[in-house]
């Protein structure tokens, strides 16, 4: 792997608290590329031509029909054993009730369902609604309003989204955009505690859904485009006091690296790599937040989470591997102590955050069962990693790739393509995947009945020019001009079924726009997902046939869930409401003529306003 090594920091972005999303100015550039040149030296994913279902034999958590965590279970499968709604009955699915949030920003949260009550977290101002599922139409029981400061909207890189809450021991836990974690009594809606754990004046914000593990609320910070210093914190679930903080960069004592830390690969070993792999003091403003998903293995007593991109995007400003960005940590949840780490994209060149979900499975690999995690990374590869030690067992492409030539399984290193490495003053074209990656935050699901992982993802490439950028606390710190567009094939997204044992796609459904919603798998052999033009789909989990769909009032970027109601029936729920980074053109009212707006995403989404408008609404479906 060649690592770029030129000096300096610099360039400014325009940021607006009204628009919230970042807008890039690139009038000096003329981004245009011949489609043939874009496709040169491109890796395409392999398909499983003779796919046969592999029923899963590993252990799964018991399922009582509730939905208490964002990912359903600690293993992040997003799988439900409910099967009243199945491939035969789904055609009869009807709308049961709706609920409006009254907000027109991006709705990315998964509803929770506990004790016949549904809980919904909205984007800013982060209201928490409780709906009574035991009553017709599910009337509102109460609303908790945390009243986050309006100024926090100005440090939200990619819309004022919130990805949901977690339930534990009679309480609801979630985060507010202005860096507070709140605990609310699930019955009364009364605040139990509220703890401020970040500072918007440093560019820090909170958008991720927390996970509660062994009495600790795990929360990671957003703000990689603002020069923050990334961290994951554990708060005491009863008091809200911070139990430990694990920084992503800095000295070993700050990263909570001690004698138990044993990375599998040589490049991840060494003393104080969180400082030594950066230019002097650059680690202090190096980004690398932890705004994605956390999984937990109770048998190993380990949590797993990914770290975000290093800052700034201008990679010439930060020569070195930039530990511990763009990688995955395994930690002891009791102490936060790091057990192992693996870096997916050393010296990240393209904003390839590694915050995506880690699905914990026990899979047959080369003749024996291994405890693995399955991680579809932003860099375009689905990784199967031994979760006991961090060894990469396979890494195969699931989207078109030009920025790298593969992953060396002996060293674990991503093989960058030298002619695609960005440098200041040089416009590079045909970079695939684009900055949101082959898959961004939108979480996958796993079905033990098929053995497949269902991946909602992007199908995008980009042109990029890096520019110098100056750091000013609390302001954008990026240093790149970018324009995105569809990858070869003429579509911007796909919903793919992935065989993690074979390392191939079983089937895929192309979509005009990036598929920015989460996925849900059920024992009815169905998979649910939504599209940015507002369609909610149910497809055959084995073959990928579209069996049912419903047009909602706004684009869907939320996470579908299913639950058993007090009447014993199965229900499916989804929040509609376009926005997020992909939907910024609608949620932020951006000019489609500026292809570089929203960090270049508008280039790929110019026609989205022709298909949908903003507006937050819960939709719940059931059989007659």
């Amino acid at each position: 792997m060649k690592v770029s090594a030129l000096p300096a920091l610099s360039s400014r972005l325009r940021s607006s608290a009204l628009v919230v999303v970042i807008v890039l100015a690139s009038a000096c550039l003329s981004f245009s590329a011949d489609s043939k040149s874009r496709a040169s030296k491109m890796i395409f994913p392999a398909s499983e031509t003779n796919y046969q279902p592999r029923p899963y034999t590993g252990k799964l958590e018991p399922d009582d029909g509730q939905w208490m965590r964002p990912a359903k279970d600690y293993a992040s499968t997003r799988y439900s054993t409910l099967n009243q709604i199945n491939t035969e009955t789904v055609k009869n699915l009807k709308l049961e009730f709706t609920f409006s949030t009254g907000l027109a920003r991006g709705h990315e949260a998964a509803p929770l369902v506990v004790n016949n009550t549904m809980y919904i977290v909205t984007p800013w101002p982060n209201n928490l609604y409780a709906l009574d599922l035991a009553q017709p139409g599910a009337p509102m029981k109460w609303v908790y309003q945390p009243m986050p400061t309006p100024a926090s909207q100005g440090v939200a890189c990619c819309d004022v989204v919130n990805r949901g809450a977690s339930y534990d021991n009679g309480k609801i836990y979630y985060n507010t955009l202005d860096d507070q974690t709140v605990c609310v009594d699930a019955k009364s809606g009364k605040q139990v505690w509220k703890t401020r754990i970040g500072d918007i004046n440093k560019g820090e914000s909170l958008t991720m859904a927390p996970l509660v593990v062994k009495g600790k609320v795990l929360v990671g910070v957003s703000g990689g485009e603002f020069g923050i210093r990334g961290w994951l914190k554990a708060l005491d679930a009863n008091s809200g006091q911070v139990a430990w903080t694990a920084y992503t960069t800095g000295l070993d004592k700050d990263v909570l690296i001690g004698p138990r830390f044993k990375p599998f690969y040589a490049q991840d070993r060494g003393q104080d790599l969180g400082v030594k792999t950066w230019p002097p003091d650059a680690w202090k403003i190096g980004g690398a937040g932890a705004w994605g998903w956390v999984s937990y293995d109770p048998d190993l007593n380990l949590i797993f989470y990914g770290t975000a991109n290093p800052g700034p995007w201008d990679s010439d400003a930060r020569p070195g591997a930039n530990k511990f960005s763009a990688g995955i940590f395994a930690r002891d949840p009791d102490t936060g102590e790091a057990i192992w780490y693996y870096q997916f994209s050393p010296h990240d060149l393209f904003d390839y955050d590694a915050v995506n979900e880690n699905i914990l499975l026990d899979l047959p690999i080369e003749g024996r069962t291994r405890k693995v995690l399955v991680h579809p990374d932003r860099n375009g590869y689905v990784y199967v990693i031994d979760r006991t030690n961090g060894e990469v067992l396979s890494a195969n492409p699931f989207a078109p790739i030009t920025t790298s030539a593969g992953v060396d399984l002996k060293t674990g290193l991503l093989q960058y393509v030298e002619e695609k490495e960005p440098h200041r003053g040089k416009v590079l074209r045909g970079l695939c995947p684009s900055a949101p990656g082959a898959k961004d935050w939108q979480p996958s699901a796993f079905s033990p009945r098929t053995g497949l992982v269902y991946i909602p993802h992007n199908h995008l490439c980009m042109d990029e020019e890096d520019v110098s950028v100056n750091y000013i606390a609390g302001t954008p710190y990026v240093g790149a001009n970018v324009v995105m567009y569809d990858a070869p094939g003429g579509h911007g997204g796909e919903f793919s079924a992935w065989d993690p044992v074979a390392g191939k796609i079983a089937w895929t459904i192309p979509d005009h726009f990036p598929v920015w919603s989460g996925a849900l798998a059920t024992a009815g052999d169905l998979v649910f997902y939504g599209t940015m033009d507002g369609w909610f789909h149910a497809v055959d989990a084995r073959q990928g046939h579209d069996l049912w769909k419903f047009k909602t009032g706004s684009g869907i970027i939320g996470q579908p869930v299913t639950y058993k109601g007090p009447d014993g029936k199965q229900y499916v729920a989804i929040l509609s409401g376009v926005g997020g980074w992909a939907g910024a053109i609608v949620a932020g009212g951006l000019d489609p003529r500026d292809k570089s707006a929203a960090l270049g995403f508008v280039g790929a989404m110019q026609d989205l306003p022709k298909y949908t408008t903003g507006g937050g609404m819960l939709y719940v479906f059931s059989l007659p």
Side-chain angles (χ1 to χ4, degrees), residues 15-20 105 150-151 153-155 160:
S15 176
S16 164
L18 296 175
V19 173
V20 178
R105 305 313 294 250
Q153 298 173 86
V155 295
V160 292

Side-chain angles (χ1 to χ4, degrees), residues 104-137:
R105 305 313 294 250
H107 287 61
E108 290 186 349
L112 300 183
V113 178
V114 187
N115 296 329
N116 297 327
T117 303
M118 178 178 287
Y119 301 92
I120 299 168
V121 179
T122 74
W124 190 93
N126 304 136
N127 295 330
L128 173 65
Y129 291 97
L131 307 181
D132 189 351
L133 299 177
Q135 301 298 322

Side-chain angles (χ1 to χ4, degrees), residues 198-385:
D199 184 353
I200 63 171
N201 295 312
K202 296 179 181 178
E204 295 178 326
S205 59
L206 295 180
T207 59
M208 62 91 75
L211 186 70
V212 184
V213 173
K214 300 178 70 176
K216 290 184 172 60
V217 186
L218 303 172
V219 182
V221 68
S222 301
E225 280 63 55
F226 286 78
I228 65 159
R229 181 189 180 194
W231 46 256
L232 184 84
K233 293 179 186 284
L235 285 69
D236 182 273
N238 292 320
S239 68
Q241 293 182 341
V242 176
W244 52 258
T245 299
Y247 286 99
T248 309
T249 64
L251 299 173
D252 285 352
K253 64 181 181 63
D254 294 341
V255 188
L256 302 188
I257 287 175
R260 295 176 65 192
F261 185 60
K262 293 178 171 50
F264 189 85
Y265 296 102
Q267 67 269 15
D268 297 322
R269 305 176 199 142
Q271 186 176 10
D272 295 327
L273 295 183
V275 172
K276 293 177 180 177
T277 59
W278 295 82
D281 293 332
W283 57 271
K284 297 178 181 178
I285 53 173
W291 55 268
W293 306 105
V294 183
S295 301
Y296 173 57
D297 183 332
D299 293 332
L300 297 176
N301 193 35
L302 292 178
I303 58 169
F304 306 91
Y305 70 97
T307 59
N309 62 289
W313 287 19
D314 170 23
S315 58
D316 287 342
R318 44 176 174 81
N322 308 139
K323 306 290 185 187
F324 291 90
S325 68
I328 180 173
F329 270 111
R331 293 187 183 274
D332 183 325
D334 299 310
T335 63
E337 189 174 3
I339 306 302
W340 59 258
Y341 166 86
Y342 168 71
Q343 192 168 35
F344 296 100
S345 301
H347 186 66
D348 171 41
L349 302 172
F350 307 106
D351 187 42
Y352 290 163
D353 302 52
V355 298
N356 293 350
E357 67 283 355
N358 299 293
I359 304 174
L360 310 186
L361 304 173
D362 296 346
L363 295 180
I365 305 294
E366 296 183 350
R368 68 186 181 100
T369 301
R370 303 282 292 265
K371 290 182 178 294
V372 305
L373 60 83
V374 179
H375 175 97
D377 194 67
R378 210 142 142 169
N379 67 19
Y381 300 91
V382 176
Y383 290 77
V384 177
I385 298 175

Side-chain angles (χ1 to χ4, degrees), residues 142 184-191:
W142 49 258
V184 179
D185 184 272
K187 287 186 178 180
S188 67
K190 301 296 184 183
Q191 179 179 301

